[in-house]
């Protein structure tokens, strides 16, 4: 450690240290920081008697020492409260723990160097230029020209690290707060994030670090002043106690975060109020995406969110407050506040309100929001106890997608089915409707798909999953849709209950629908489950795929196909050149089935997206035991062939190299989920090692259930 060489000889510069003093200082501070500047002068420290002391400046700390080098005071630069210099010979500095005044009548340039070095501590550790006004307020140097001269004397900053110097700021904040920096965070932000252009700070990436509140403090402090990250995501993460005020501090200061997700993290009506106050107080807020879903906000918390949204003037485009346990009174007040925000009503495109109670009061104000939001494209009111009588005045010209799942649509006295159809009547731009889990009867289904209904007139994507339609209900549905001129996406998952003598007829109608020249169906989701599996009944449909030219996306999971039907599916892919995406899990596929599929892909050049059948893989690995590596090799071949197809097609579609675990209501028998998780991890690592390059992320299907 070497002090900066004085520009004057000791005899000419009274502030210069003698060689003995310099040596003593080096010995004393060798365990602390490398000294960038050191001088001695008469100082008045915290109103004590004036005496000669040594002032030493490192990269983050200021030290006051006696002439023998013993540290008397030590402070981090972030503890600086005020620096005042109204004359060239005098400088007063106030820290949280102490203050001092220094006078150098014969070497005023040295005082400017001190100011410059302190200024350099801020600019090198908080490099974003927008932070300059925040720190400049601490420097009261007059006239202003002297401050400009001092800034020019600041040491040149080191080369900026990744993510806008995030690791510099983080390490400095850890030093200030007395915590140990996490190497994983430093390495990722210096290397992984910038190389991938990733500007999303997602807590899930550091889930194995077991971050405590003390760990979060420097992390959040760094995000406050960072200009790289534009997204902060905290989802399904067990936040430590007292963490929400730290997140609030970020949103109170940061002017770059456009996307904020604090979902399923234990927010409540008190903590969300603090977060909302921070959003309102930030005059430079640039938020366009806000997700506070799956938190127990209740009425009071949701009202606080509404009050905040009414006050902020940012063009919010995405808002998700689903499953917040709000009642009808709280939701009505929230929606009224939202409708009063002219800025948000002009910009809002996606609104997810699922899982909250609407009833009469909320349904009326929801209708007001939908009609006022000029750009609203997607509205989710699933499981909201919606009163469709009060939604019949919907007249949105922009709304393209509505999800009303888990709201019973019946033909009894309440006749909610006809009221729902009426509420869609004036939505001229509507193209996507989800009515899953709505307890549909055959009569209700026929009303929904009547020739004069909005669903039949313009909808391109329809989701009727989980309605227990059975064979007769599906026959009625397919017969109605076979002449549908705009339908491209259909989800009928988990409707294959109570196998009847009309099962073959239902399969024939499904085949006719898929092959219909009048219905341009391209995406079909027909997943089964333990309550209803097609098994061998699916064979005629599989054979029809050999000549099909329209379907591009297919989901046939959960039908217990076995290896025999999997062999037929494999043959499909030797001749079919239209299917681009396949989801095929929970079908009792064994090693032989995977081998057949791998061989079939040798003759296929069009399948570019494949979600690996994780449940079947887990079963088979457990069954094979020591022979499991052979299965992993086959799966690696499948992955590589699908990836090659994607690359040959210009990467337009995606490859899922890693298996996707599908969550189901009932746990399949015979699977130890903890062991399965380990197996999936091993599988992913094996395939990553054998695959060439990184696969692209999954392309989501337009309609999910």
């Amino acid at each position: 450690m070497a002090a900066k060489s004085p520009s004057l000889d000791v005899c000419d510069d009274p502030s210069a240290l003698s060689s003995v003093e310099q040596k003593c200082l080096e010995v004393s501070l060798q365990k602390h920081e490398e000294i960038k500047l050191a001088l001695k002068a008469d100082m008045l420290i915290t109103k004590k008697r004036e005496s000669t002391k040594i002032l030493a400046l490192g990269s983050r700390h200021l030290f006051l020492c006696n002439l023998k080098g013993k540290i008397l005071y030590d402070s981090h630069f972030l503890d600086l409260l005020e620096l005042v210099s109204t004359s060239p010979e005098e400088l007063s500095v106030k820290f949280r723990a102490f203050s001092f005044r220094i006078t150098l009548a014969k070497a005023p340039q040295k005082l400017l160097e001190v100011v410059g070095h302190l200024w350099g501590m801020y600019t090198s550790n908080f490099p974003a230029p927008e932070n300059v006004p925040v720190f400049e307020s601490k420097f009261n140097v007059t006239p202003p020209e002297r401050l400009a001269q001092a800034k020019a004397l600041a040491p040149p900053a080191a080369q900026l690290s990744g993510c806008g110097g995030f690791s510099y700021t983080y390490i400095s904040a850890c030093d200030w707060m007395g915590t140990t920096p996490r190497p994983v965070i430093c390495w990722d932000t210096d290397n992984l994030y910038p190389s991938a252009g990733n500007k999303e700070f997602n807590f899930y990436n550091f889930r194995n670090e077991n971050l405590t509140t003390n760990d979060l403090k420097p992390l959040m402090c760094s995000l406050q002043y960072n200009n790289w990250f534009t997204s902060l995501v905290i989802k399904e993460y067990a936040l430590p106690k007292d963490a929400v005020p730290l997140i609030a501090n970020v949103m109170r200061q940061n002017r770059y975060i456009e996307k904020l997700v604090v979902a399923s993290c234990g927010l409540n009506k008190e903590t969300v109020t603090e977060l909302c106050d921070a959003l309102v107080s930030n005059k430079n807020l640039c938020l366009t995406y806000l997700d506070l879903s799956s938190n127990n906000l209740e009425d009071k918390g949701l009202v606080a969110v509404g009050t905040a949204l009414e006050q902020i003037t940012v063009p919010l485009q995405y808002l998700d407050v689903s499953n917040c346990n709000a009642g009808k009174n709280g939701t009505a007040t929230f929606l009224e506040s939202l409708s009063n925000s002219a800025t948000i009503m002009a910009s809002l495109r996606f609104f997810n309100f699922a899982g909250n109670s609407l009833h009469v009061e909320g349904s009326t104000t929801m209708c007001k929001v939908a009609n006022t939001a000029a750009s609203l494209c997607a509205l989710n009111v699933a499981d909201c106890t919606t009163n469709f009588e009060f939604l019949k005045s919907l007249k949105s010209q922009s709304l393209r997608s509505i999800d009303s799942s888990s709201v019973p649509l019946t033909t009894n006295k309440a006749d909610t089915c006809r009221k729902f159809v009426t509420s869609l009547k004036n939505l001229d731009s509507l193209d996507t409707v989800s009515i899953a889990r709505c307890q549909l009867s055959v009569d209700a289904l026929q009303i929904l798909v009547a020739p004069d209904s909005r669903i039949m007139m313009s909808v391109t994507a329809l989701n009727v999953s989980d309605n227990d339609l059975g064979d007769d209900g599906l026959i009625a549905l397919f017969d109605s849709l076979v002449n549908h001129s705009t339908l491209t996406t259909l989800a009928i998952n988990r409707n294959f209950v109570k196998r009847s003598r009309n099962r073959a007829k239902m399969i024939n109608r499904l085949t006719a629908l898929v092959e219909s020249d009048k219905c341009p169906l391209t995406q079909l989701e027909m997943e089964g489950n333990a309550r209803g599996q097609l098994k061998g009944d699916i064979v005629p449909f599989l054979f029809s795929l050999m000549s099909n030219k329209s379907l591009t996306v297919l989901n046939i999971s959960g039908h217990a196909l076995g290896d025999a039907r999997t062999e037929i599916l494999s043959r499909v892919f030797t001749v079919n050149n239209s299917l681009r995406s396949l989801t095929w899990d929970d079908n009792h596929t064994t090693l032989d089935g995977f081998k057949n599929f791998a061989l079939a892909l040798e003759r296929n050049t069009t399948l570019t997206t494949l979600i690996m059948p994780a449940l079947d893989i887990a079963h088979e690995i457990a069954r094979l035991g020591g022979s499991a590596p052979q299965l992993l090799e086959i799966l690696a071949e499948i992955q590589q062939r699908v990836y090659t197809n994607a690359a040959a097609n210009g990467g337009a579609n995606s490859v899922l190299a890693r298996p996707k675990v599908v969550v189901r209501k009932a746990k399949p028998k015979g699977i130890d989920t903890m062991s399965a998780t380990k197996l999936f991890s091993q599988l992913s690592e094996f395939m990553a090692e054998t695959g060439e390059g990184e696969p692209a992320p999954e392309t989501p299907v337009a309609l999910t259930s």
Side-chain angles (χ1 to χ4, degrees):
M1 170 171 40
K4 183 178 178 180
S5 300
S7 58
L8 300 174
D9 294 339
V10 174
C11 59
D12 296 327
D13 183 4
S15 68
L17 274 61
S18 68
S19 58
V20 174
E21 292 167 341
Q22 186 167 328
K23 183 64 176 177
C24 291
L25 186 66
E26 290 178 358
V27 172
S28 179
L29 299 181
Q30 62 182 348
K31 294 183 179 180
H32 295 271
E33 291 183 5
E34 180 182 357
I35 299 305
K36 307 295 185 181
L37 176 67
L39 58 86
K40 65 180 178 182
D42 291 337
M43 300 182 197
L44 180 64
I45 305 175
T46 316
K47 298 182 180 180
K48 294 182 180 179
R49 183 170 59 86
E50 189 174 60
S51 59
T52 303
K53 297 291 186 291
I54 295 176
L55 169 64
L57 296 171
S59 56
R60 292 188 291 269
H61 282 257
L62 177 145
F63 303 94
L64 294 183
C65 307
N66 63 19
L67 297 180
K68 294 182 180 181
K70 181 181 178 181
I71 300 175
L72 303 176
Y73 295 95
D74 168 14
S75 185
H76 195 280
F77 75 94
L78 289 176
D79 280 323
L80 176 67
L81 299 179
E82 185 181 31
L83 182 149
V84 179
S85 179
T86 56
S87 69
E89 299 85 12
E90 190 170 278
L91 173 66
S92 297
V93 182
K94 184 178 181 181
F95 287 94
R96 295 184 189 275
F98 66 96
S99 60
F100 67 92
R101 187 184 71 219
I102 182 171
T103 303
L104 275 176
K106 295 184 179 180
Q109 185 70 8
K110 283 294 182 182
L111 288 185
L112 283 182
E113 287 187 40
V114 172
V115 176
H117 274 71
L118 282 169
W119 178 257
M121 291 181 185
Y122 284 98
T123 55
S124 61
N125 289 284
F126 293 84
E130 294 77 11
N131 296 325
V132 170
V134 178
F135 305 135
E136 205 165 37
S137 62
K138 297 175 180 285
F139 288 74
N140 181 11
V141 180
T142 56
E145 292 78 13
R146 290 185 61 234
L147 181 57
Q149 293 172 8
K151 290 179 181 179
L153 295 173
Q159 184 177 358
L160 199 63
S161 64
C163 299
F166 183 87
S167 64
Y168 284 169
T169 308
Y170 172 60
I171 292 172
S172 181
C174 286
D175 181 31
W176 179 42
M177 297 178 181
T179 60
T180 303
R182 296 296 181 100
V184 171
I185 295 176
C186 295
W187 196 91
D188 284 1
T189 54
D190 280 345
N191 299 279
L192 290 184
Y193 283 83
S195 64
N198 185 359
K199 296 202 170 188
E200 177 174 287
F201 194 94
N202 194 325
F203 270 46
Y204 186 76
N205 295 333
F206 306 108
R207 61 193 180 281
N208 295 326
E209 292 296 299
N210 297 319
L211 300 176
T212 65
T213 301
N214 288 334
D215 294 317
L216 290 178
K217 286 179 180 179
L219 203 57
M220 296 294 100
C221 176
S222 305
L223 285 173
Q224 276 183 256
Y225 301 99
N226 182 264
N227 64 355
W228 170 270
F229 291 106
T230 59
S231 174
L232 175 58
V233 177
I234 312 171
K235 188 173 184 179
E236 296 179 356
Y237 187 92
L239 283 174
K241 189 178 181 180
D242 302 328
V244 175
L246 304 178
I247 302 170
N249 288 338
V250 174
M251 300 312 301
R252 187 175 287 109
Q253 180 69 37
N254 189 286
R255 58 174 66 189
Y256 287 96
I257 291 179
E258 301 172 3
K259 176 180 178 179
L260 176 64
V261 177
V262 189
S264 190
C265 290
L267 283 182
N268 55 41
K269 56 189 177 183
E270 285 80 22
T271 54
V272 77
T273 301
E274 186 169 3
L275 180 59
C276 290
D277 290 343
L279 297 178
V280 172
S281 65
N282 189 346
K283 302 306 178 185
N284 297 307
L285 189 69
C286 64
L287 208 60
T288 60
Y289 186 115
L290 179 61
D291 182 355
L292 301 175
S293 62
S294 301
N295 289 300
N296 190 29
L297 304 185
E298 301 179 274
D299 283 4
K300 182 179 178 181
L302 194 60
V303 169
V305 175
T307 303
L309 295 178
E310 189 174 2
Q311 295 180 55
I312 63 177
T313 57
V314 295
L316 200 65
Q317 297 180 18
Y318 182 106
L319 177 61
D320 189 345
V321 288
S322 59
N323 301 308
C324 287
N325 194 27
K328 57 183 181 181
N329 294 326
T331 59
T333 304
F334 166 81
L335 292 169
E336 188 66 35
S337 298
L338 183 62
S339 67
N340 290 335
S341 173
T343 303
I344 295 178
M345 287 297 95
S347 61
L348 190 64
R349 296 178 58 82
F350 180 94
F351 183 28
N352 188 351
F353 200 69
N356 297 303
S357 297
L358 283 175
H359 295 285
V360 173
E361 299 85 350
S363 298
T364 303
T365 47
M366 178 61 78
C367 187
K368 180 179 178 181
V369 168
N371 290 341
T372 307
S375 302
L376 186 64
C377 296
L379 175 64
N380 190 337
V381 288
D383 195 20
C384 279
T385 57
T386 310
N387 190 310
F388 293 112
E389 179 71 25
F390 292 87
L391 283 181
K392 62 184 180 182
S393 57
L394 271 176
K395 296 180 180 179
S396 172
Q397 297 302 305
S398 61
L399 193 62
R400 296 181 54 192
S401 172
I402 187 166
D403 188 341
S404 186
S405 300
S406 299
V407 179
L409 298 177
T410 63
T411 56
N412 57 16
K413 185 177 181 181
D415 202 3
T416 55
C417 187
R418 283 189 172 83
K419 291 175 182 177
F420 175 70
V421 171
T422 302
S423 69
L424 305 182
K425 184 177 181 181
N426 296 318
L427 303 179
D428 295 335
S429 300
L430 191 68
D431 59 24
T432 301
V433 174
S434 181
I435 44 177
R437 304 178 299 279
C438 287
Q439 304 173 22
L440 295 178
S441 64
V442 175
D443 292 341
L445 189 63
Q446 290 175 337
I447 294 172
L448 290 168
V449 293
D452 60 344
S453 71
R454 174 60 61 188
I455 290 177
M456 292 298 292
M457 293 169 62
S458 62
V459 166
T460 62
L462 176 63
N463 182 4
V464 293
S465 300
D466 297 292
N467 278 298
D468 291 349
L469 293 178
D471 294 334
D472 293 338
L474 289 172
I475 290 171
L477 176 66
F478 299 152
D479 286 345
S480 298
L481 298 180
V482 72
N483 294 318
H484 198 304
S485 61
T486 62
L487 189 69
T488 61
T489 302
L490 177 63
I492 53 173
N493 300 315
R494 297 170 294 278
N495 273 306
F496 307 96
V497 295
K498 299 178 183 178
R499 185 182 189 280
S500 69
R501 57 187 176 183
N502 289 328
R503 174 59 58 88
K505 182 179 179 181
M506 183 272 291
I507 294 294
N508 289 336
R509 292 291 198 277
L510 172 61
T511 303
L513 172 65
V514 171
E515 294 180 342
S516 172
D517 294 333
K518 297 181 180 179
C519 181
L521 193 66
T522 59
Q523 300 185 39
L524 176 63
E525 295 188 11
M526 47 180 293
E527 187 174 323
N529 62 2
R531 296 182 61 240
Q533 299 171 326
L534 292 179
K535 298 182 179 179
D537 296 329
I538 201 175
V539 170
F541 173 74
L542 293 180
F543 275 119
S544 73
L545 295 177
M546 291 185 176
S547 58
N548 183 270
K549 304 296 183 183
S550 59
L551 274 186
T552 61
V553 178
L554 177 64
N555 180 355
I556 53 171
S557 296
H559 286 296
L561 300 184
D563 286 344
R565 266 80 69 177
T566 298
E567 185 176 358
I568 298 174
L569 179 65
S570 301
R571 291 180 183 179
V572 167
F573 283 96
T574 62
V575 295
N576 182 289
N577 58 9
S578 64
L579 279 170
R580 300 290 187 269
S581 173
L582 175 66
T583 304
W584 147 67
D585 196 3
D586 195 16
N587 277 306
H588 304 173
T589 308
T590 69
L591 176 60
D592 290 337
F594 287 117
K595 284 182 178 179
N596 286 331
F597 194 77
L599 288 173
L601 290 185
E602 290 182 357
R603 300 176 58 184
N604 181 280
T605 60
T606 55
L607 184 65
T608 57
T609 301
L610 176 65
I611 298 179
M612 283 295 185
L615 292 175
D616 286 341
I617 291 171
H619 273 297
E620 194 61 1
I621 290 178
R623 185 184 72 85
L624 291 173
S627 302
Q630 185 181 2
L631 173 63
L632 298 182
E633 290 177 5
I634 295 296
L635 295 173
E637 289 180 22
I638 293 173
Q639 177 226 354
Q640 184 56 49
R641 285 166 186 165
V642 176
Y643 178 73
T644 300
N645 288 351
N649 284 274
N653 293 312
S654 60
V655 182
L656 273 186
R658 299 186 177 183
K660 176 180 178 181
V661 181
V662 181
V663 178
R664 288 179 168 78
K665 294 180 180 179
K667 174 182 171 182
K669 295 181 180 179
I671 293 184
D672 180 346
T673 54
M674 291 301 294
S675 299
T677 301
K678 294 179 181 178
L679 292 172
F680 298 154
S681 177
Q682 294 171 2
L683 172 64
S684 300
E685 292 173 2
F686 178 86
M687 298 175 75
E689 291 172 0
T690 56
E692 297 180 6
E694 280 294 318
E698 175 187 5
T699 301
V701 179
L703 193 68
T704 58
S705 59

